[in-house]
Amino acid sequence: MTALLQVDAISRRFGGLNALKDVSFAIHPGEIVGLIGPNGAGKTTCFNVVSGVMPPSAGAIRFDGRSIVGKKPSEIVSQGLVRTFQATTIFPEATVIENVMRGAFSTTPVSMLGSVFNTRATRATMSATHRRCELLLDRLSLAPLAQRKARELSYGGQRRLGVAIALAARPKLLMLDEPVAGLNPEEAADFGRLIRELHKTENITILLVEHHMRLVMGLCDRLVVLDHGEKIAEGVPADIRANRKVIEAYLGTEEAA
């Protein structure tokens, strides 16, 4: 099977520090893959490089068969690779539905002239986009809050809204950066079930960074493990759980315990 995302020997240096060193992995259509490792392992740097937030110092990245190195994040989003961030990224003064509509605009084919003259085609496109955004809010249990200001949502609600905004851009690959960070155990478990449900209903591939090991082990098909900027292991959760290098990397941390 051809990889949807192919990361080949990427490195990222900050001065004399190697935040990433020759990291390679592939993600195939339909998978849920976890990128894990102790604090400082390079996970977020890897996310930033893959999503175009920062360029690699070396290496190649191909998405859906095309190189995305050097492309702007907006161009990468338009190709179908969309990410969320550790910090909840919303438009606090806009309503919940307006937030999701803004996410959809990145891939909604509406011309400037169509917008100015409010053509029939533009109205049809915007109507279809609005219906899809309403459906996403329903799937994320946010429909009753559609007209609320985004800042009025609970923290967990804002995390869900961030996912809805990303899904509105119609991703082929959704990158989730610590999706359950700051949630209590019950909320984290609910979010894990939500991710699995969206994986099926939206027909998307998922790459996630997460410290919640119970969620990762139960959710992911495969895991890629980083430590000090290098890949130290890759495999199914059962093999990773028993891997000596992984155990040593986590030794003394809460996750290992």
Side-chain angles (χ1 to χ4, degrees):
M1 183 185 297
T2 302
L4 179 60
L5 176 69
Q6 184 72 52
V7 176
D8 287 321
I10 61 169
S11 296
R12 174 67 194 189
R13 292 183 291 275
F14 297 98
L17 173 67
N18 278 315
L20 292 174
K21 184 178 179 182
D22 296 329
V23 173
S24 298
F25 60 88
I27 299 176
H28 297 94
E31 286 191 302
I32 302 178
V33 177
L35 185 65
I36 66 171
N39 288 331
K43 305 182 297 297
T44 296
T45 300
C46 186
F47 250 46
N48 288 339
V49 169
V50 170
S51 61
V53 173
M54 61 178 64
S57 301
I61 307 168
R62 297 184 68 81
F63 178 71
D64 207 12
R66 292 179 287 179
S67 174
I68 56 174
V69 173
K71 291 186 178 294
K72 297 177 181 178
S74 59
E75 294 175 315
I76 294 174
V77 168
S78 69
Q79 287 185 220
L81 192 158
V82 182
R83 69 166 290 181
T84 64
F85 291 82
Q86 287 181 11
T88 303
T89 305
I90 60 172
F91 304 96
E93 296 304 319
T95 65
V96 169
I97 187 66
E98 286 170 347
N99 268 266
V100 184
M101 288 289 288
R102 290 185 186 190
F105 288 156
S106 61
T107 55
T108 299
V110 174
S111 69
M112 182 178 295
L113 283 176
S115 297
V116 170
F117 293 105
N118 194 27
T119 63
R120 180 181 298 177
T122 295
R123 292 195 300 273
T125 297
M126 294 304 294
S127 178
T129 299
H130 194 275
R131 287 196 300 272
R132 170 170 162 73
C133 290
E134 288 180 323
L135 178 60
L136 286 173
L137 289 181
D138 185 57
R139 287 177 175 168
L140 285 144
S141 302
L142 292 171
L145 306 172
Q147 300 305 321
R148 293 274 192 93
K149 298 285 188 182
R151 59 176 167 77
E152 297 175 5
L153 298 184
S154 66
Y155 180 74
Q158 291 183 10
R159 301 293 289 189
R160 286 174 178 259
L161 179 56
V163 173
I165 293 169
L167 288 172
R170 298 183 179 274
K172 298 175 185 176
L173 173 60
L174 178 61
M175 298 173 61
L176 299 172
D177 195 354
E178 298 195 25
V180 303
L183 302 183
N184 65 41
E186 183 177 347
E187 290 172 330
D190 285 344
F191 215 105
R193 287 189 287 269
L194 175 66
I195 292 170
R196 185 171 292 283
E197 180 181 326
L198 291 171
H199 171 249
K200 295 178 180 177
T201 60
E202 298 299 308
N203 191 31
I204 52 175
T205 305
I206 295 174
L207 172 64
L208 71 143
V209 162
E210 186 50 65
H211 285 285
H212 193 299
M213 286 298 103
R214 179 174 295 180
L215 180 142
V216 166
M217 291 292 176
L219 183 64
C220 295
D221 301 307
R222 289 189 300 114
L223 299 173
V224 175
V225 189
L226 301 182
D227 187 34
H228 292 94
E230 298 185 50
K231 187 176 82 171
I232 61 169
E234 181 176 355
V236 299
D239 291 343
I240 295 300
R241 188 182 290 114
N243 186 290
R244 176 55 54 184
K245 285 185 177 180
V246 176
I247 294 171
E248 290 175 354
Y250 275 114
L251 191 61
T253 69
E254 182 179 348
E255 288 82 4

